[in-house]
Amino acid sequence: MKIQWLGHSAFKIIGEKTSVLIDPFLTDNPKFTGTLEQAGDGVSHILLTHAHNDHFGDTIELIKQTGATLVAMVELANHVKASLPDANVVGLNFGGSYETEDGLLVSLVPAWHSSTLTQPDGSTVYGGLPAGIVLGMDGHSIYHMGDTTVFSDMALINELYDPDIGLVPIGGHFTMDAKMAAMAVNRYFNFLTVIPCHYMTFPLLAQSADAFAEAIETAEVLTPMPMEEVEV
C-alpha cells in the first residue's frame, strides 16, 4: 500500500485493488501541486471527516469526475446527495461501518471539533458531527483522526479498531498541536507508523513536524513532503 499526502489533511490511499481519497481539499490548497485528474485516478471512494471547506474541498467536482462513492456523516452525505442526485453516497454515524466488495471497511469515530460547510453566498450547511475515519484496507487499519484535540476515548478507538497507521493533525490553533498530538499517540495507541498532517498549509499552523516526531516514543514517524508517496 502507498499513502500520498496531498497537503493539509488530504490523503490518497493507493491499495492493491482500489484507491480512496480522504478530505480532498485540493484546488485551494497551496501545498497541492497536482491536478484533480491525477488525484482522482483509480479512486473508488471519497471519505470525509467533516464539512469544513478545507476538508470538503473538491468533493463535488471529484464525484462528477470519477463517479466515486462518498462516505461521510449522514447529514453531510445527504447534502451532497441533494446537490448531486445521481451521486452514490453512504451516510454513516458513530458505531456504523460500510464494507465494499473491494475489501474496504470504513467506520466513523468521534472527533472533538465542529462541522459546517460555508457556501459561496456566505450561508452555512450543517455537516453533522465531526468524525475521525478508520479505514480497513489491504490488511491495515488506518485511523485518520480528522480535526480533533486529544481525548481519553481515543483509548476505546484503539481497543475497538487496533489501528496500525495513524494520520495525525499536529498544526495547533484548530487542532492538536505537536505536544498534544504526541501525547495522544504515545498514551492511547499502538501505531506502527504515524504520518502528521494539518500543518504547514497556512501561517496560523505549525510549519514543521520536528517537535512531533521527536516526542513520539514507539511508532515510526514518516514526514513526507506534500505530494510525496510513502510505502507502508
Side-chain angles (χ1 to χ4, degrees):
M1 176 190 292
K2 294 180 180 179
I3 298 178
Q4 183 183 24
W5 185 37
L6 302 176
H8 206 52
S9 286
F11 287 90
K12 185 173 185 179
I13 315 296
I14 304 164
E16 295 176 2
K17 296 181 179 179
T18 190
S19 298
V20 304
L21 286 172
I22 303 177
D23 287 357
F25 169 59
L26 306 177
T27 300
D28 295 323
N29 177 351
K31 299 301 180 181
F32 177 75
T33 57
T35 66
L36 292 187
E37 289 73 21
Q38 291 168 335
D41 183 43
V43 167
S44 63
H45 290 77
I46 296 170
L47 316 179
L48 294 178
T49 61
H50 64 292
H52 284 162
N53 295 65
D54 62 329
H55 294 257
F56 187 87
D58 297 283
T59 293
I60 296 292
E61 187 57 40
L62 284 163
I63 291 174
K64 292 178 181 178
Q65 173 188 304
T66 65
T69 297
L70 173 73
V71 184
M73 185 61 72
V74 61
E75 290 86 354
L76 188 53
N78 288 345
H79 167 71
V80 171
K81 186 68 173 177
S83 303
L84 288 177
D86 293 333
N88 296 315
V89 305
V90 176
L92 286 180
N93 214 312
F94 302 142
S97 296
Y98 166 72
E99 190 166 8
T100 76
E101 294 180 357
D102 289 330
L104 301 180
L105 181 62
V106 183
S107 305
L108 296 186
V109 296
W112 279 96
H113 197 58
S114 54
S115 182
T116 54
L117 178 67
T118 302
Q119 303 286 72
D121 64 1
S123 63
T124 57
V125 174
Y126 174 59
L129 292 172
I133 293 168
V134 181
L135 171 65
M137 184 175 178
D138 292 359
H140 291 284
S141 179
I142 304 166
Y143 176 28
H144 188 305
M145 293 184 178
D147 280 6
T148 192
T149 186
V150 61
F151 56 101
S152 60
D153 279 353
M154 285 178 166
L156 289 175
I157 295 171
N158 183 67
E159 184 176 351
L160 287 167
Y161 300 100
D162 193 23
D164 60 295
I165 299 171
L167 309 178
V168 184
I170 68 163
H173 199 88
F174 300 108
T175 71
M176 300 182 288
D177 61 14
K179 181 178 180 180
M180 288 186 283
M183 175 188 288
V185 170
N186 292 333
R187 182 174 297 187
Y188 295 120
F189 294 99
N190 301 308
F191 294 127
L192 300 178
T193 304
V194 292
I195 301 175
C197 63
H198 209 283
Y199 74 103
M200 200 164 59
T201 325
F202 305 113
L204 275 174
L205 306 181
Q207 298 300 301
S208 167
D210 290 350
F212 172 75
E214 290 169 4
I216 296 301
E217 296 171 355
T218 55
E220 179 184 16
V221 182
L222 302 180
T223 55
M225 294 301 293
M227 306 306 298
E228 184 179 351
E229 293 180 2
V230 293
E231 190 93 31
V232 294

